[in-house]
Amino acid sequence: MSQKDDNTDDDFGLFRDAVQGVKKLRQDTIVQQPNRNKKQKEAKRSNREAKDAEFYFSDEFVPHLSDEGPTRYARDDVSTYEVKRLRRGVYVPMCPRHARHDATRSKT
């Protein structure tokens, strides 16, 4: 026998000594879920469709406006002409500093 064969026999012997008394691992098994019945799938689908139909959502917006024309937010004692002037932008907004100045000037 050659030197190489002796080393191989020694390696196997060492391995056998090292694994002596070790128990073999039990293989884990994966239990596959059984396929669902087609009737069960159909029942679930019909339940889901019924729930979806209950809460129907449409992205088509349909506002509930009066037939009299566009909605206006004005008190009853304010002229509709003032609302029109606001819409057209006739009134220029003032910064707070100028508004205070005008308020004090109008009091005198």
Side-chain angles (χ1 to χ4, degrees):
M1 280 177 49
S2 69
Q3 182 73 16
K4 191 173 186 181
D5 291 335
D6 289 337
N7 287 340
T8 306
D9 290 336
D10 288 340
D11 289 340
F12 282 126
L14 290 171
F15 179 76
R16 255 187 260 115
D17 291 340
V19 294
Q20 186 176 8
V22 176
K23 293 180 181 178
K24 185 177 180 180
L25 290 175
R26 198 179 106 211
Q27 177 65 38
D28 290 340
T29 56
I30 298 173
V31 178
Q32 194 172 16
Q33 295 294 329
N35 291 335
R36 284 203 167 101
N37 196 351
K38 287 186 178 183
K39 291 179 183 177
Q40 287 176 339
K41 285 184 181 180
E42 183 64 34
K44 278 190 173 185
R45 186 182 322 123
S46 64
N47 285 340
R48 187 173 48 240
E49 287 174 356
K51 285 181 183 178
D52 290 346
E54 248 178 70
F55 299 104
Y56 176 75
F57 176 77
S58 172
D59 59 350
E60 296 176 18
F61 177 71
V62 180
H64 298 287
L65 299 176
S66 66
D67 296 333
E68 299 169 4
T71 305
R72 295 187 179 106
Y73 298 99
R75 295 188 316 246
D76 292 333
D77 61 335
V78 176
S79 168
T80 56
Y81 181 70
E82 293 298 322
V83 175
K84 183 188 264 186
R85 291 180 71 192
L86 277 171
R87 190 183 71 236
R88 289 181 179 169
V90 172
Y91 297 111
V92 179
M94 298 176 124
C95 70
R97 186 176 54 161
H98 288 115
R100 274 187 268 131
H101 176 70
D102 286 345
T104 57
R105 194 168 34 151
S106 65
K107 287 182 182 177
T108 58

